[in-house]
Amino acid sequence: MKDLLIDHFQETVNDLLIRHKSILDVLSKLNEASARVHRATVKAVTQCGCLKIDAKKPIIPEDATILQLKEIFDTHLKGELCPNCKDTIEKEMGRLLFYLTALCNHLDINLYDVFIKEQKALDTLNIFNFT
């Protein structure tokens, strides 16, 4: 069922991409969409204040294991997205997905296959993927 949803989304993007059909346009719009996600996230901190960033250098013991690193590293985020900021970020992420999917279409790559391959890599490498 999930593959049908992703395939349907990919087909819809293919049908709706008219004005920015050039690969150059798609690449620049993908980059712009990514920047807009970043900007909306930053605005949640700097304008709305629903999120705060509390960052400092982590203290990593020399004998720390990979599993312990997960507990040592932090997101540095405090708070929760308010409904308005969440809605804005979700819209910007939607545009990002749109142009990522458009790029997949131009390169004849199935988005669902990308998800499956990445999931297999994560399952195989587990914590050793270092992401």
Side-chain angles (χ1 to χ4, degrees):
M1 183 64 152
K2 291 180 182 178
D3 57 331
L4 295 176
L5 176 66
I6 294 172
D7 287 347
H8 178 65
F9 183 75
Q10 193 159 3
E11 289 169 14
T12 303
V13 168
N14 190 52
D15 292 343
L16 297 178
L17 189 67
I18 297 169
R19 189 165 152 233
H20 300 291
K21 193 152 185 146
S22 164
I23 185 73
L24 299 174
D25 286 337
V26 169
L27 289 170
S28 66
K29 292 301 254 179
L30 179 62
N31 192 40
E32 178 186 334
S34 178
R36 291 180 68 86
V37 170
H38 297 177
R39 184 171 184 254
T41 304
V42 169
K43 281 186 165 190
V45 175
T46 60
Q47 288 188 353
C48 176
C50 61
L51 290 181
K52 292 182 180 21
I53 298 175
D54 181 21
K56 57 187 169 212
K57 181 179 177 181
I59 299 170
I60 305 171
E62 287 185 31
D63 60 342
T65 66
I66 291 174
L67 289 174
Q68 290 170 328
L69 290 178
K70 187 171 180 171
E71 300 300 320
I72 293 170
F73 292 123
D74 186 17
T75 66
H76 302 129
L77 285 176
K78 306 297 179 215
E80 233 175 79
L81 285 174
C82 70
N84 185 49
C85 289
K86 184 174 182 177
D87 183 56
T88 301
I89 292 171
E90 286 175 344
K91 285 178 185 172
E92 298 300 350
M93 287 179 169
R95 297 310 294 168
L96 181 65
L97 284 174
F98 180 92
Y99 286 107
L100 177 62
T101 303
L103 181 60
C104 287
N105 288 343
H106 281 9
L107 301 175
D108 197 26
I109 294 172
N110 183 281
L111 186 58
Y112 182 74
D113 292 344
V114 173
F115 280 110
I116 296 300
K117 287 177 184 176
E118 184 63 18
Q119 185 62 54
K120 284 181 182 177
L122 294 173
D123 291 342
T124 300
L125 296 174
N126 202 336
I127 60 168
F128 299 102
N129 69 48
F130 293 114
T131 56

